[in-house]
Amino acid sequence: MVVRNPVTWLGTPAFPKAAKDALANTQLRRNLRNATSTIRGKRAAAVAELPDWERLRAAGAAIKDEVLANLDTYLIRLEAAVTARGGTVHWARDAAEANAIALRLIRATGETEVVKVKSMATAEIGLNEALAEGGVTAIETDLAELIVQLGEDRPSHILVPAIHRNRAEIKEIFQRAMPDVPADLTSEPRALAEAARRHLRRKFLSAKVAISGANFGVAETGSIVVVESEGNGRMCLTLPETLITVMGIEKVVPSWPDLEVFLQLLPRSSTAERMNPYTSVWTGVTPGDGPQAFHLILLDNGRTATLADEVGRQSLRCIRCSACLNVCPVYERTGGEAYGSVYPGPIGAILTPQLVNDPKDKQAASLPFASSLCGACYEVCPVSINIPEVLTHLRARVVENKSSLAPEAIAMRALAWVMADAKRFERAQQAGTLARFLGRDGKITRLPWPGSKWTDVRDVPVPPAESFRSWWRRTRGDQ
Amino acid sequence: MRVGLFATCLTDTFFPETAKATVRLLERLGCRVEFPLAQTCCGQMHFNTGYAKQAKPLARDYAELFGDYDAVVAPSGSCTGMVRDIHPGLTASPIAARTYELSEFLVDVLEVTEVGAYFPHRVTYHPTCHSLRMLGVGEKPLRLLRAVRGLDLVELPESSSCCGFGGTFAVKNAETSTAMLTDKMHHVIGTAAEVLTAGDNSCLMHIGGGLSRLRSGVRPVHLAEILASTEEEPWSSATR
C-alpha cells in the first residue's frame, strides 16, 4: 500500500459513502458497540473520582493555549535543551521531509529492521510505507498495532487501532501472518497475548534502532515522554542503540509541573486508568545507559497552518486520548476507517481537514459534516476542545469554497430569503399546506429526491391546515 | 411578566399545537404572552450547515424583534441553544441571555415544578442533545414530568445518546443517521411507553417519523403539550 497523501488514505471515498459501506458490516458494528460502551462507562467512573476534574480540564486547556501562543519560544528552548543533553534535533516541514530524515538516519546505522512503539505522528506521515520503499522494515510492537500490521489492515481508533476486530478475527490473523505462531493457538486473550509476546521479544532483543512518537516534550529540560500500557514502549526506548523520535510540534509543554496536569488528564480520559502503567521519560543520552544516539524530528505537517486559524487552532490542544471517539454516536456506528485517516472520530473530523489544508480535497471536506453536533465529544474532552464549534467553523469554510450555483447553496440562499421576511415566510407556509395532498392519515410516506433521503425510513407529518401564526392572528389579532 | 413567545419555524409550521400549548401553559401560570408576528427562524439550520453568512441577518432580526421583552420562551432546546450560544457571536444580542427553553423558564424563572397538569399515560422522555449539553437543562424536564398527575414516567435506556437527527445531518449522512435512529427506536419501544416526549419537535419529528413507519404505536408528544394538558382540557390525539 503506497501512501501519497499521508494524513488521509488515498482512495478513501467521502464520508457518507465510506460510512454506508462500514454500516453494512454488522460484525464491525457489534465489535465497536461492545468496546465503546464498556470504555465509556469506565471513563465516566474514573473521571468522577476526581473532585477537581473541571479545574484540571481548564488547566490543561490553558497550558496548551499558552504553549500554542508562544510555540516558537518553547520549541527553540526544547531544541537547546535536547542538544545540550547530547541529542540531535531535526526540523521537518512535512511528511516527505520527516520520512527522508528518518530513512537517512537509519541508513547511517546500516540496519534494515527497526522496532516501533505505537505513534500517531509516524502513522500520520506514513513512515512505515516510506521506510519500506527505502528497504527498511518497521515492526510495530504495540499489540493492537501489530494486529493491524499483520492483518494488512488500517487502524480504526487512536488508542486501540484494532478495536474493530474481535478475538476470533485476531486469532485468524495471527495464524495467517505471524511466522512463529504456536500450533495450538486459541482465541483466549491470554493465549493471543502470549503469542504476540514471544513474537515481539525476539524483535526487541535483535533491534539496533527504534522509532517512537512522543506524548509530550518538556521544553525546560528537553525531556521526551511516552505513556503506554504494555511495556513494549519501554523495551523500544531502552534496548536499541539508536532512538529516533517523531514529535508533532504542538506536543511541547513548558515545564514539569505542566506535565503533571496532563499525566492526570490523559490516562483517565483514554483508558479510564488512574495512572497509565508505563511512563517513560528520557533526556538526551546517558553514557552507558539506554540508546547512545538520540534524534528528535520536530514535525509541522500542517500544524502551523492550523495554528493560524483563530477558531480551528484549539484542535492542536489534543492529547490523543480518544475519549471523543468512544462517546461519539457516529464513530460508534461507522468505525474509524470511514474517516479515511489515522485521526478518526470527532477529533479527526476537525483535525484531518486542517492538516490536509486543501479546500479541493472532497474527502477531507466531507469530514466536518460527519457529526450530528450532539456535543458529547466536547463534554468529555480533557482539554475542552469545543469540537462542535470547530465543526461548524470548518463547514463554513467548505461552503465558502463551494460554487454559489451548487443546488444546496441556492436552496440555502432561497430559504434565508424567505426567512428574512415574515410575510414571505407565511406565504411559504401556506404554499406548504398544499403538501397535505401528498399525505394520508396525517403523514407523508414518500417524497421525491432529496426528500427521499428522509422518507426512506421516516414518515413526515402532513403540515396542518392552519399554522400557529394564522391561529394567533385569527384568535388574538395582530397585536 | 411580559414574555415573548419564539415559536420556532418548525413548530409554527408543522406543530402549532405545541405553540398553543405553550401559550396556554404560560398564561395559566400568570405570564402575559405575546407572539410578535414578524418572527421567523433563529438561523440554526443555516449556521450548522456552514451558511453562517445567511444566519447573521436572522440573528439580527431576532435581537431587534425580541429586545424589549423581559424574557423570551421557546419550546425548543435546540433553537434556544442557537440563540443563547451562537447569536452573540453573530450579532449584538442582549436578549440572548434572557431566552429560555420552556422547562428552564418554568423551573428557573417562574420557580414552579407542579404546573397543574394531568396526563394519564405511560411516558418516556428523550433529553435532546442541545437541551442536555448546550443548555444543561439536566433534571428540569424530568422534575416537571414527575409532578404531572396520572403520568407514569418510565426511564429511557441510553437516553443521552443522540437520536441521529442533527438537522441536515439526517439527509447528508442518511445511512449513519438511520443507524442511530434505529437504536433510539429500539430503546423507546423497549420501554413499552405510549408516549415519547422531548423538548424539541425536530428530534420528535425524526424519531416519531421512524416510529410511525414501524407502526410502533408510540406517539411523539412535545413536553409543552403534556404540561398544558389538564382534566378540564385534556390533550387529544386528534390534534397531532
Side-chain angles (χ1 to χ4, degrees):
Chain A
M1 184 175 56
V2 180
V3 177
R4 291 191 181 79
N5 173 16
V7 181
T8 51
W9 297 321
L10 196 71
T12 310
F15 187 83
K17 166 79 176 75
K20 191 178 178 179
D21 296 345
L23 285 160
N25 185 342
T26 48
Q27 182 66 63
L28 172 90
R29 273 171 78 180
R30 196 162 277 270
N31 294 352
L32 280 166
R33 186 177 168 79
N34 288 342
T36 55
S37 60
T38 306
I39 188 78
R40 273 204 297 268
K42 285 186 177 170
R43 188 212 72 96
V47 162
E49 284 182 350
L50 291 186
D52 61 346
W53 183 255
E54 287 307 317
R55 288 173 58 195
L56 272 171
R57 276 181 95 199
I63 293 166
K64 282 282 183 180
D65 283 350
E66 202 270 332
V67 166
L68 292 172
N70 302 290
L71 193 57
D72 49 350
T73 309
Y74 288 118
L75 287 171
I76 288 167
R77 200 173 290 171
L78 178 75
E79 179 185 35
V82 169
T83 310
R85 305 282 181 123
T88 310
V89 174
H90 311 261
W91 300 81
R93 229 174 320 211
D94 54 26
E97 274 190 20
N99 290 335
I101 295 166
L103 186 61
R104 177 168 54 78
L105 293 171
I106 297 164
R107 279 188 173 151
T109 67
E111 294 296 314
T112 55
E113 192 170 277
V114 299
V115 286
K116 278 186 75 202
V117 48
K118 177 181 174 304
S119 148
M120 295 308 296
T122 62
E124 172 191 322
I125 59 176
L127 178 64
N128 290 7
E129 293 79 0
L131 293 183
E133 280 180 30
V136 173
T137 308
I139 293 155
E140 295 292 347
T141 66
D142 172 90
L143 178 54
E145 202 67 48
L146 177 70
I147 293 164
V148 169
Q149 192 176 40
L150 292 177
E152 294 180 12
D153 202 356
R154 280 167 170 169
S156 61
H157 191 278
I158 288 175
L159 197 79
V160 203
I163 196 169
H164 57 299
R165 297 293 199 180
N166 64 24
R167 284 188 275 154
E169 292 171 295
I170 294 165
K171 175 186 168 237
E172 204 253 323
I173 290 168
F174 279 10
Q175 282 174 327
R176 198 177 56 225
M178 195 181 271
D180 40 3
V181 68
D184 57 346
L185 185 68
T186 68
S187 60
E188 282 302 300
R190 204 188 157 88
L192 295 172
E194 186 59 27
R197 181 179 291 126
R198 284 176 190 280
H199 171 74
L200 289 172
R201 183 65 47 119
R202 294 192 331 179
K203 302 291 182 191
F204 289 133
L205 294 175
S206 62
K208 300 275 194 296
V209 180
I211 295 175
S212 88
N215 289 97
F216 307 99
V218 184
E220 71 173 353
T221 57
S223 308
I224 309 297
V225 185
V226 162
V227 297
E228 40 108 13
S229 313
E230 296 169 15
N232 63 301
R234 180 69 55 86
M235 303 285 257
C236 291
L237 298 167
T238 52
L239 290 174
E241 291 164 9
T242 300
L243 173 59
I244 301 165
T245 297
V246 182
M247 175 179 137
I249 51 174
E250 82 284 17
K251 297 277 173 182
V252 65
V253 297
S255 67
W256 283 72
D258 300 316
L259 187 62
E260 180 233 319
V261 173
F262 297 109
L263 291 184
Q264 291 184 73
L265 287 170
L266 181 54
R268 285 182 199 261
S269 300
S270 58
T271 49
E273 288 169 305
R274 293 170 180 149
M275 180 77 205
N276 60 291
Y278 295 87
T279 303
S280 300
V281 184
W282 67 100
T283 310
V285 292
T286 307
D289 183 17
Q292 295 302 293
F294 170 56
H295 296 274
L296 178 63
I297 301 173
L298 292 173
L299 175 73
D300 186 322
N301 207 34
R303 285 160 177 77
T304 305
T306 305
L307 190 60
D309 186 301
E310 265 177 59
V311 178
R313 71 169 62 126
Q314 57 185 311
S315 321
L316 297 176
R317 286 185 203 150
C318 177
I319 55 174
R320 313 282 189 263
C321 72
S322 71
C324 63
L325 276 64
N326 299 328
V327 296
C328 177
V330 173
Y331 176 87
E332 185 184 326
R333 272 64 180 202
T334 65
E337 292 188 40
Y339 294 80
S341 159
V342 292
Y343 301 114
I347 187 64
I350 61 171
L351 193 58
T352 304
Q354 295 192 91
L355 293 181
V356 168
N357 198 21
D358 174 6
K360 289 194 188 69
D361 188 320
K362 284 194 175 139
Q363 192 269 336
S366 72
L367 294 175
F369 296 90
S371 165
S372 65
L373 300 178
C374 84
C377 48
Y378 180 26
E379 192 174 52
V380 298
C381 177
V383 285
S384 292
I385 301 170
N386 189 337
I387 296 176
E389 180 186 24
V390 183
L391 285 167
T392 52
H393 172 72
L394 295 177
R395 289 178 183 188
R397 203 200 265 181
V398 172
V399 166
E400 265 171 44
N401 285 295
K402 206 177 201 155
S403 160
S404 59
L405 296 174
E408 180 192 278
I410 293 169
M412 283 289 178
R413 276 201 309 275
L415 191 60
W417 181 79
V418 168
M419 293 299 191
D421 182 289
K423 287 198 188 71
R424 287 202 283 261
F425 176 50
E426 193 163 359
R427 277 198 295 276
Q429 278 183 331
Q430 285 154 359
T433 55
L434 294 174
R436 292 169 70 73
F437 298 110
L438 290 171
R440 239 179 251 169
D441 307 329
K443 62 194 181 196
I444 301 166
T445 55
R446 223 168 139 187
L447 285 172
W449 191 89
S452 58
K453 292 213 164 219
W454 179 277
T455 54
D456 277 349
V457 293
R458 314 161 192 91
D459 293 336
V460 182
V462 164
E466 188 180 46
S467 71
F468 174 73
R469 70 180 56 230
S470 305
W471 173 84
W472 181 274
R473 194 183 288 106
R474 181 167 62 78
T475 58
R476 311 258 177 146
D478 284 331
Q479 61 166 263
Chain B
M1 193 182 310
R2 189 165 156 260
V3 175
L5 171 69
F6 177 51
T8 81
C9 58
L10 182 77
T11 289
D12 180 6
T13 309
F14 281 94
F15 306 102
E17 294 309 317
T18 300
K20 290 181 206 169
T22 308
V23 174
R24 216 158 49 236
L25 175 65
L26 293 176
E27 287 182 341
R28 194 166 84 210
L29 295 169
C31 296
R32 195 177 126 204
V33 181
E34 291 177 25
F35 177 80
L37 281 160
Q39 66 179 278
T40 58
C41 165
C42 65
Q44 179 173 214
M45 186 171 87
H46 284 94
F47 184 82
N48 282 356
T49 312
Y51 295 83
K53 224 175 275 171
Q54 277 77 13
K56 207 170 180 167
L58 296 174
R60 206 166 45 222
D61 291 349
Y62 180 95
E64 275 174 29
L65 191 60
F66 287 105
D68 293 338
Y69 286 93
D70 298 326
V72 180
V73 177
S76 162
S78 192
C79 304
T80 304
M82 174 66 193
V83 170
R84 215 148 74 196
D85 253 39
I86 309 294
H87 277 194
L90 297 175
T91 184
S93 183
I95 191 63
R98 284 178 282 132
T99 297
Y100 300 93
E101 177 272 339
L102 179 64
S103 75
E104 288 181 312
F105 182 74
L106 296 174
V107 175
D108 294 344
V109 182
L110 298 184
E111 298 181 344
V112 289
T113 46
E114 216 303 296
V115 295
Y118 174 70
F119 192 80
H121 300 281
R122 187 176 167 95
V123 175
T124 195
Y125 168 74
H126 167 64
T128 61
C129 296
H130 289 175
S131 302
L132 196 66
R133 301 195 186 91
M134 252 177 144
L135 302 178
V137 299
E139 289 276 298
K140 285 160 206 167
L142 290 169
R143 282 167 61 194
L144 290 159
L145 285 169
R146 283 192 201 108
V148 174
R149 272 178 308 113
L151 189 145
D152 176 15
L153 185 66
V154 282
E155 197 185 327
L156 180 65
E158 295 185 31
S159 63
S160 64
S161 59
C162 178
C163 68
F165 174 58
T168 46
F169 172 78
V171 174
K172 279 181 180 277
N173 281 285
E175 282 81 10
T176 309
S177 170
T178 300
M180 290 157 73
L181 171 64
T182 305
D183 289 342
K184 183 58 76 181
M185 290 196 296
H186 171 77
H187 291 308
V188 170
I189 293 166
T191 64
E194 302 157 61
V195 166
L196 167 72
T197 194
D200 274 282
N201 273 328
S202 49
C203 309
L204 283 176
M205 182 172 77
H206 171 72
I207 312 170
L211 290 169
S212 161
R213 179 62 54 87
L214 292 183
R215 304 190 183 280
S216 69
V218 187
R219 285 198 86 97
V221 179
H222 192 282
L223 181 67
E225 294 174 50
I226 293 180
L227 298 179
S229 169
T230 59
E231 266 135 326
E232 297 75 34
E233 265 187 287
W235 178 82
S236 147
S237 63
T239 56
R240 217 175 210 268

